[in-house]
Structure formats: C-alpha cells, structure tokens
Amino acid sequence: MAALLVFVVFLVAIILSIPIGISMILGSVAPILMMARGGVIPQIIDNTLSGANSTPILAVPLFILGGVIMAEGGISKKLFNFFAYFVGRIPGGVPCAVVLTCLFYGAISGSGPATTAAVGAMCVPFMVDLGYNKTWAAGLIAVAGGLGVIIPPSIPFVLYSLATGVSTGKLFLGGVFPGILIGAFLMAYAVFYCITKGEDKAKIKARLDEISARGFWSLFKDSFWALMCPIIILGGIYSGFFTPTEAAVVSVFYALIVCLFIERTISLVALPGFLVSSVKTYGGLAFVLAFATAFGRVLSLTHATSAVQDFIVNNFHSSVSVLSVCTVIFLILGMIMDTGPAIIILAPVLLPAVQLLGVDEVHFGVVLVCCLSIGLATPPFGLDLFVAGNISQDNPMDVAARATPFIIAFLLSLALIVYVPAVSTWLVY
C-alpha cells in the first residue's frame, strides 16, 4: 500500500502541474506519514543533502558552462562552413551539413536545446536565404538538435550514470554509433526531400563558391579548435588520463582558452553573464537531483522498486518484449517531461528489473536517452520546438508539423537501436 501511495501521490502532483522536485518531496513524505515513521524524516533530509554533496554531479553544471562559452564563441558557424565544404554540393547537401554540424556541436554542448539554439540561430537564416522553407528548416533543426543529448559527452548520460552507477565512460561510448545512425537517417530523408521538392541550385552554388573560395586549409584552420574539443575530452576519458568529472573541468578551461585567447570571440566582461546563464539552466535540475536520493530511499523503504521488479519479471519474459513496452512509455513521457527528471526517476527503478531479463545496462541507458531526445521535438512540450520556433518566428506547432517526417526517420533509426543491442554496445565491450 505504501509503495502504491508513493507513485499515486507523485503522479497526481505531476498531473496538477506541480514542479518535479516538489512532486518528489510529496511522494516521499506521504507514505512515511501513513506509516507513522516520523523518525525517518531527518534521514530523508540527510539523504537530500548527501544527494547534492556529490563530486560526480559537478560534471553537469561544468559541461553546461563549457557549452555556453563555446556557443557564445560562434563555434557553430565554423563547423557548418567546414562540413558544407565537403557535402554542400550534393542534392540535399546543405541540410546534411546542418545535421553534421548538430552531430559535432552536440559533442561540445552535451545539450539538445543548446545545440538547437546555437546551430539554428546561424543555419535557419542561412537556409532561408538559399530558398529553403523557413518552417521546414526549423523542423530540421528541432529534431537534429536532439542529437546533442546522444553524442558524447552527453549531460543525460551523466545523469543516468549518477542515478544508476553505470560507468559514464561506457555510456559515452555507447552513444557514438546511435548518434551517427540517427544522423544518417535524418540526412537520408533530407536528401530525399530535396530531390523530390527541388532546391535553388543557383543560390546554393553561389554561396558554396564563397565558402570554397577560402580553400580547405583555411576552413580547417578556422574550425580546428572546435573539431579538437570532443577529441580532447573523449580521448582523455577513454585513455584514462582524466575522469568524466575532470573532463567537464577541462571542457570549461578549453572553451575559455579557445574563445578568449585564440579566437577572441568573447571578452572577460561577458564571463559573469555566462555563469548566470549556466546556473539558471542547472538550478532547477540540481533541486531535482538532490531530492532524487531521498526519493530513492523512500522507494527502497516501501519496497516500491521490488514491486516494479516483480511486476516486470512476472509479466514479461524476454528482453525484446520489455524493451518494446519501455520504449513506448519513454516516448510518451518524453512528450510531457524534461529529459533530466525523467532519467533520474525512471532509471534506478526500471534498470534492476530489465537486467533480470537480459537487458544490458548501457543499451538500456542509450534507449532511454534516445527516446527522451525525440521528446525534445514532439508536442506539446518539446523544448527544441519552442527554441526552433523562436528562431524562425513560427508557431511551435507549425514547426512540429514540418518536423514530423524527420521524427519518423528518427523513429526508424530508433527501432534499430532498440532491437540491435550491438549498435549501442559494440564499442563498449
């Protein structure tokens, strides 16, 4: 009864639009009051404080800060020009360059909305000038921006690691091929669309001639430091030179050195504003992370996790069946819940149960993050839709309509990720 009360109170609070953090507090306190275990309240407070007092958790705000600095440093334009040099002249080449920019920028920002904002602010006006439909371009950016949470280093993967204890480095490796696969499907549809609908080849050729006139080495030199960022960060993690948390620190200092002293695209005066922006982004999530530990403690006391585990084991008999149901649930939740809180709540409850049916912990994390990343571009609350709509000055629902074919392409690639575990685990094991 107490276990059921945890979920009922939590879900009712969510339905009433009470913030996630407060909903977790209500869900934690209700069963304890019912069980008349008042002495546990101080223990919940202690668990809340210990949840916030964690060294690995520092990776989240630091990766956010590094992404903010690189975004303000104009890195996305340098990356786009570099990729447009190679693929811009093929049919659908410009949209493909946008997807490639999102893929690579995701390895810098670790955030879907940040990738959408940084790449979209530059690419949407550029595509409109070349004759592409403005809303279609915004739909492309909204979906491709979701790659920012899949390509490592990924903030959602860090949160999944914090919630479950799974190696962050393994999760980063697990996200490489899925991110590339999704990007390939998005580019395939973009090429199909441009072939069937046509492009203004004269305008495209003229703009690409301007880019090509600079020459490969000039473009490479211009984008070199942006290209090196994920190589340094991920190379340092996988070589054992530093931990993921230390990598987050390195990302901040690397961004500062590149943008302040090498590219000189930002000034020292702007740094306090970047700090404020990062704190605002992380503040709400930090509150949820702190109470997640207390929430997990209550789930353990009420045997709620065991109840979920028994239900899954008794009703599902294969990894395929349980992953199929979980995928549908994750896709639905992604439409209404932010990525971070969804991972913090779902991962520790579901992972032990699905592992009993043979689901790999890294594969499960990749599927969870991929499903939730689609939610960033799906109505009614897809954050990337609002970011892209703001850039293109369109209604987010209009952007969602034009994004639908890209979402379908994303879902097709997701099917391969879900049912072919090697896509996620080949680099890991």
Side-chain angles (χ1 to χ4, degrees):
M1 179 63 184
L4 180 62
L5 186 62
V6 175
F7 293 112
V8 169
V9 172
F10 175 73
L11 291 175
V12 169
I14 293 294
I15 292 171
L16 294 175
S17 299
I18 296 174
I20 297 288
I22 304 299
S23 299
M24 294 175 75
I25 296 173
L26 296 175
S28 300
V29 171
I32 293 176
L33 294 177
M34 187 191 76
M35 293 185 296
R37 298 185 63 173
V40 181
I41 296 293
Q43 191 173 7
I44 289 181
I45 296 174
D46 289 340
N47 286 328
T48 300
L49 295 175
S50 66
N53 185 24
S54 167
T55 299
I57 208 175
L58 290 173
V60 180
L62 289 171
F63 273 130
I64 292 173
L65 177 58
V68 169
I69 295 171
M70 294 293 269
E72 296 295 330
I75 299 300
S76 60
K77 183 176 182 179
K78 300 176 187 297
L79 289 173
F80 176 80
N81 288 341
F82 182 75
F83 293 123
Y85 177 86
F86 291 99
V87 302
R89 297 185 186 278
I90 67 173
V94 172
C96 287
V98 172
V99 175
L100 288 171
T101 304
C102 288
L103 267 171
F104 218 90
Y105 193 86
I108 296 173
S109 73
S111 164
T115 301
T116 302
V119 179
M122 187 275 299
C123 288
V124 169
F126 182 85
M127 293 180 70
V128 171
D129 287 343
L130 295 182
Y132 293 95
N133 180 277
K134 181 180 63 172
T135 313
W136 183 84
L140 164 63
I141 291 292
V143 179
L147 295 171
V149 302
I150 302 171
I151 292 294
S154 159
I155 292 172
F157 281 145
V158 174
L159 296 176
Y160 180 85
S161 176
L162 290 170
T164 63
V166 179
S167 166
T168 305
K170 288 183 177 180
L171 290 165
F172 283 177
L173 280 176
V176 173
F177 281 163
I180 294 173
L181 180 66
I182 294 166
F185 271 72
L186 296 180
M187 287 188 285
Y189 170 71
V191 170
F192 170 78
Y193 175 88
C194 291
I195 290 175
T196 55
K197 300 296 183 180
E199 300 175 282
D200 193 330
K201 295 182 179 180
K203 284 185 178 181
I204 294 172
K205 182 179 182 302
R207 292 299 293 271
L208 290 177
D209 284 344
E210 294 177 10
I211 294 174
S212 299
R214 297 176 56 188
F216 168 77
W217 289 112
S218 175
L219 290 170
F220 179 72
K221 180 182 177 181
D222 199 32
S223 59
F224 175 79
W225 297 107
L227 294 170
M228 285 298 294
C229 181
I231 295 173
I232 292 173
I233 300 302
L234 300 181
I237 294 173
Y238 302 142
S239 66
F241 192 74
F242 42 69
T243 67
T245 304
E246 291 166 344
V249 179
V250 171
S251 73
V252 173
F253 278 94
Y254 182 85
L256 286 171
I257 292 170
V258 170
C259 296
L260 273 175
F261 304 113
I262 298 176
E263 302 290 349
R264 297 182 180 180
T265 49
I266 63 172
S267 64
L268 286 171
V269 177
L271 292 184
F274 299 158
L275 292 170
V276 170
S277 175
S278 301
V279 169
K280 286 181 178 179
T281 302
Y282 177 65
L285 182 57
F287 189 77
V288 175
L289 284 170
F291 277 101
T293 304
F295 191 64
R297 171 64 177 163
V298 171
L299 291 177
S300 177
L301 285 172
T302 59
H303 305 290
T305 304
S306 298
V308 172
Q309 182 173 300
D310 292 340
F311 175 81
I312 289 177
V313 173
N314 292 333
N315 290 277
F316 300 97
H317 306 289
S318 70
S319 59
V320 172
S321 61
V322 73
L323 274 177
S324 299
V325 173
C326 285
T327 298
V328 174
I329 293 172
F330 297 158
L331 289 172
I332 294 172
L333 285 177
M335 297 180 183
I336 59 176
M337 187 180 291
D338 193 26
T339 304
I343 292 172
I344 294 164
I345 295 165
L346 294 174
V349 175
L350 295 177
L351 180 59
V354 298
Q355 282 184 299
L356 293 176
L357 295 175
V359 178
D360 180 80
E361 58 187 9
V362 173
H363 180 215
F364 185 71
V366 171
V367 170
L368 173 57
V369 171
C370 287
C371 290
L372 294 176
S373 71
I374 297 179
L376 292 171
T378 53
F381 302 120
L383 184 56
D384 284 1
L385 288 178
F386 291 90
V387 174
N390 183 58
I391 292 170
S392 64
Q393 297 182 338
D394 284 316
N395 186 297
M397 295 305 104
D398 293 335
V399 175
R402 299 308 297 264
T404 299
F406 289 106
I407 293 174
I408 293 172
F410 199 133
L411 290 172
L412 291 174
S413 60
L414 177 65
L416 289 175
I417 295 167
V418 171
Y419 298 117
V420 184
V423 176
S424 304
T425 61
W426 188 76
L427 284 177
V428 179
Y429 303 111

